[in-house]
Amino acid sequence: MAELLRTQARKPKCYLLRPVTFLLIMLVLVFFGAGFLSPRSPVLWSRRAGAGEAGRESVGLQVVKLSRMVYPQPKVLTPSRKDVLVLTPWLAPIIWEATFNTDILNEQFRLQNATIGITVFAIKKYVVFLKLFLETAEQHFMVGHRVNYYVFTDRPADVPHVPLGEGRQMVVLEVPASARWQDVSMSRMEMISSFCEQRFLREVDFLVCADVDMKFRDHVGVEILSQLFGTLHPGYYRASREAFPYERRPQSQAHIPRDQGDFYYMGAFFGGSVSEVYRLTKACHQAIVADRANGIEAVWHDESHLNRYLLDHKPTKVLSPEYMWDEKLLGWPAIMRKLRYVAVPKNHREIRNR
Amino acid sequence: MRRHRLAIGLGVCLLVGTVLCTLWVYVEDWLPVSYVPYYLPCPEILSRYPQPKLLEQRPTELLTLTPWLAPIVSEGTFNAELLQHIYQPLNLTIGLTVFAVGKYTHFVQHFLESAERFFMHGYRVCYYVFTDDPTAIPQVPLGPGRRLGIIPIQRHSRWEEISTRRMEIISQHIAKRAHQEVDYLFCVDVDMVFRNPWGPETLGDLVAAIHPGYYAVPRQQFPYERRHVSTAFVADGEGDFYYGGAVFGGRVANVYEFTRGCHMAILADKANGIMAAWQEESHLNRRFISHKPSKVLSPEYLWDDRKRQPPSLKLIRFSTLDKDTSWLRS
C-alpha cells in the first residue's frame, strides 16, 4: 500500500520535470536575448562600426559626464589667439598655449582611464639621452594619467633606472641596430607597426612616437591626444609650401609636388590612437621598402614619408612648434609662449653611427 | 530522486546561460569591425586649395576653438571643397528630425524645399517629420538618395508639453528605427529655413549650436534655469555658451544618449511639479555643460532674422521665419 502511494506520488513529479526544464531553458534564453537586443547594446550601433565604436578605440572619443568645474567663460567674440591659426581648413585644432583648458581636458580623459604609450628609440650611443628624457617626462608628460614608456634599444643593460610615478611603467624592448643612422631612423616605422599588433593594441589607448635626444621643459598633456596628430617642424612653420623640404623626385613614394602640402610635419613627434598609428607606420614602412627596391632614399628618410602620409590622411590635431623646438638654433620668439619639448644639444658626428 | 534531477536540470540551464553570456561578451570584441577609413581625399583636390596661413593677424573674428578643443564652425574656418572630398567617400546617411504639430505643419513645405537646396547636398538624407496630422504634410519633390518619413505623434493641449516631449520622442525613434538608417542625426525646429549651404563641416560626435541671442553676453545673463529644485539648474559661475534648443545633433548613438538624458531630467522635474524656464532648451543647456559637445556651430547655423547681422557672421545658413507665435500656439 505504501509502495503504491509512493509510486503514485512520484508520477506527478515525473510529468513536471520535462516541462519545467524546458521552461527554465526558455527563460534563460529569453534573458540572454533581452540583454542582447536592448537598445543600449553596442552591437546595434555597429551599423557601421567605424573607428571609435568598439573596445579600446572608443577611449577619448566618448562623451563623458564632467563634474562641476569653475573656470572663466569662453567669449565668442574674443579669439583665444589673434596672432596664430588655431584651426586647420579641415577643422582640426592647432594646439597653442591659451587655446585649451587643461582641467577640463584632464577630467575628460581621466574619466575614461586613458592609457598613453610613448615609444622612444635609444639605439647605440643614443642610450645616453634616456635619463634626461625619462626624468623630464616624469615631470611634464601626461602627469596624472597612466603612461607606458616603450624603450626600444639594442643595449638593454645601459637603460638607466629612473624612478617612475604611480600608474607609470617602463617596458624595455630589445631590437637590432642598423649600421647607418638613416636606416636606424627609418626602421622605427617597421618596429612600431609590428609592436602595435603584438602589444600596443591591447595595452594602451593612445600612442606617442618621440625622438629620444630631447627633453620636456613644460606641460605636454592630453590636449595632444586624438585619432591622429602631427607636429609642425619648428624650422618651417613660417615657410610657404614650395620651400618645404618635401621629397621632390617623382620616383620616390614620398614625392609631393611643389603646389601641394599643408604643413611640414616633424618626424620626431607624432601619434594618435593605436590603430591610426599602426596604419601610418605600416604605410610608411611599405613606402620605404618600395623606395629601397627602386634604389632611392627619400631626402629626409622617415620624415618625408610621414609628410606624404599626413597629406593624404589629414591629422585630427596638429601640434604647434611649442611641442618641438630647438632653442639654440631658433631662440625664443614671442609667438612661442611656452617651449614644451626641446632638443638636447648633441654632436652629430660623435653620436651617429657609433 | 526526481528532485535531484530537477536540481541538476536547473543547474545545467543556469550554467549554459552564463556560459553563453560570457562567451558573447568576449566574442563581441573579436567580431570583425568594419573600419571606415578616416580620411581619403582624392589626390586631384590637393593642389587646388591654398596653403593654410599659420601666422595670422585677424582683429575682428570669432572664437574658433572652445577651451576643450572643439572647433567652432563659421565661414572662413574651413574649406568646404576639401571637407567634401574627405566625407563623400564615407557614404554617410544623415538624418534630420523636425516636429510639425498643429498649425506648425504650415512650415513644412518651405522648410523641406530649403533643405533640398542647402542641407547636406550630395549626401543620403532621411527627413523624419513628426506630426499629429500626416495628411497636412505636403509632397515635396526630393533629390536622389533623399527620402521622407512621416511619423504620427500625439498632440497635447499645451505647446510647452509638445516642446518637452520632443526629447522623449526622438530617443524612442532612434532606438526603434533611426539607428539602423542613419549615421548622423540632426534635430532642428521646423519654423526655420536654410538660406546657405549646410554641409559636412557640421558633422561631429556631439554637435551644439550657439543661440543667436546670447553669444555676446556674460554667462550670468544666460537664461539658464536658476531654481535649485530643477534638474536643469545652472549655478552662477557655470556655463560655456548658451546653446539653442532649435539645433543639435551628432552621431546617432550620442544623440540617443543625449536625448534620453534630457528626457529623464524632464521627467524628474515633472515629478516635482516644475517646468524649466525654457523647457527642453534649459535641459539641453544643463546637459551640454556636463557633457561637452565635440563640435560647436556658430550663430550662422542658428540665426534670428529679426536681429541685425553683425560683420563677424559672414554667412547665415539657417534662420527663423518671422511668425505670429500667439496665433501658432493657439
Side-chain angles (χ1 to χ4, degrees), chain B residues 34-45:
Chain B
S34 72
Y35 177 75
V36 177
Y38 222 86
Y39 292 111
L40 284 175
C42 303
E44 309 90 64
I45 186 59

Side-chain angles (χ1 to χ4, degrees), chain B residues 61-86:
Chain B
E61 291 286 329
L62 297 173
L63 183 68
T64 49
L65 209 54
T66 68
W68 59 95
L69 296 175
I72 303 177
V73 184
S74 61
E75 182 63 12
T77 57
F78 62 94
N79 183 312
E81 215 186 330
L82 179 59
L83 286 176
Q84 194 81 332
H85 275 81
I86 291 172

Side-chain angles (χ1 to χ4, degrees), chain B:
Chain B
M1 191 55 192
R2 297 285 175 234
R3 256 185 248 132
H4 279 152
R5 287 179 67 172
L6 182 65
I8 292 168
L10 187 81
V12 165
C13 292
L14 277 172
L15 190 69
V16 166
T18 325
V19 164
L20 283 171
C21 282
T22 8
L23 254 182
W24 180 253
V25 168
Y26 282 112
V27 165
E28 244 178 318
D29 286 337
W30 294 342
L31 280 180
V33 169
S34 72
Y35 177 75
V36 177
Y38 222 86
Y39 292 111
L40 284 175
C42 303
E44 309 90 64
I45 186 59
L46 295 175
S47 55
R48 276 190 257 123
Y49 67 89
Q51 180 188 357
K53 293 186 179 56
L54 198 65
L55 306 171
E56 282 278 273
Q57 298 287 343
R58 294 179 304 180
T60 51
E61 291 286 329
L62 297 173
L63 183 68
T64 49
L65 209 54
T66 68
W68 59 95
L69 296 175
I72 303 177
V73 184
S74 61
E75 182 63 12
T77 57
F78 62 94
N79 183 312
E81 215 186 330
L82 179 59
L83 286 176
Q84 194 81 332
H85 275 81
I86 291 172
Y87 280 93
Q88 200 86 65
L90 301 180
N91 247 341
L92 300 167
T93 310
I94 294 109
L96 186 64
T97 68
V98 277
F99 284 74
V101 176
K103 299 195 179 89
Y104 278 76
T105 49
H106 282 98
F107 295 108
V108 175
Q109 170 109 23
H110 210 33
F111 176 89
L112 285 177
E113 282 171 354
S114 67
E116 277 301 293
R117 251 186 96 188
F118 294 117
F119 181 76
M120 296 291 176
H121 196 66
Y123 293 83
R124 294 210 300 265
V125 171
C126 279
Y127 299 105
Y128 298 113
V129 178
F130 297 88
T131 182
D132 59 333
D133 185 8
T135 56
I137 305 300
Q139 286 271 35
V140 175
L142 301 178
R146 300 167 83 97
R147 55 195 179 91
L148 173 66
I150 301 172
I151 298 107
I153 55 167
Q154 199 191 1
R155 173 153 185 193
H156 296 272
S157 46
R158 293 168 65 230
W159 71 266
E160 294 97 335
E161 187 69 30
I162 300 168
S163 192
T164 42
R165 285 262 168 216
R166 296 200 301 180
M167 291 293 181
E168 176 185 19
I169 293 170
I170 292 169
S171 65
Q172 285 174 347
H173 175 70
I174 295 175
K176 209 161 56 158
R177 194 173 145 183
H179 75 269
Q180 289 165 322
E181 297 178 353
V182 301
D183 301 290
Y184 291 88
L185 187 67
F186 283 99
C187 308
V188 303
D189 275 5
V190 73
D191 52 351
M192 320 266 291
V193 272
F194 292 91
R195 300 197 191 279
N196 275 296
W198 175 306
E201 71 278 2
T202 58
L203 297 176
D205 285 335
L206 187 62
V207 184
I210 297 176
H211 194 295
Y214 299 95
Y215 67 92
V217 149
R219 50 159 67 127
Q220 296 86 346
Q221 292 174 33
F222 288 168
Y224 288 139
E225 174 54 64
R226 299 294 188 186
R227 292 168 290 179
H228 277 85
V229 290
S230 170
T231 51
F233 167 71
V234 178
D236 247 348
E238 272 189 290
D240 307 299
F241 309 103
Y242 191 75
Y243 302 108
V247 171
F248 66 93
R251 279 192 188 267
V252 69
N254 293 332
V255 176
Y256 172 76
E257 292 295 334
F258 186 82
T259 49
R260 215 175 112 90
C262 284
H263 171 57
M264 291 297 151
I266 292 170
L267 278 185
D269 265 11
K270 217 172 183 178
N272 291 330
I274 188 170
M275 178 171 278
W278 285 102
Q279 299 85 46
E280 89 265 30
E281 186 176 88
S282 305
H283 290 276
L284 175 137
N285 270 281
R286 172 68 251 175
R287 199 163 170 93
F288 272 136
I289 294 173
S290 44
H291 299 74
K292 304 231 180 286
S294 67
K295 190 173 265 185
V296 175
L297 305 181
S298 68
E300 288 179 358
Y301 291 84
L302 175 53
W303 191 244
D304 184 345
D305 277 338
R306 292 170 297 187
K307 299 174 78 69
R308 192 182 57 84
Q309 185 177 338
S312 47
L313 293 180
K314 308 268 188 300
L315 194 68
I316 303 300
R317 301 159 197 273
F318 189 58
S319 61
T320 51
L321 274 178
D322 219 345
K323 62 187 189 277
D324 180 2
T325 37
S326 52
W327 171 74
L328 279 165
R329 287 169 180 171
S330 60

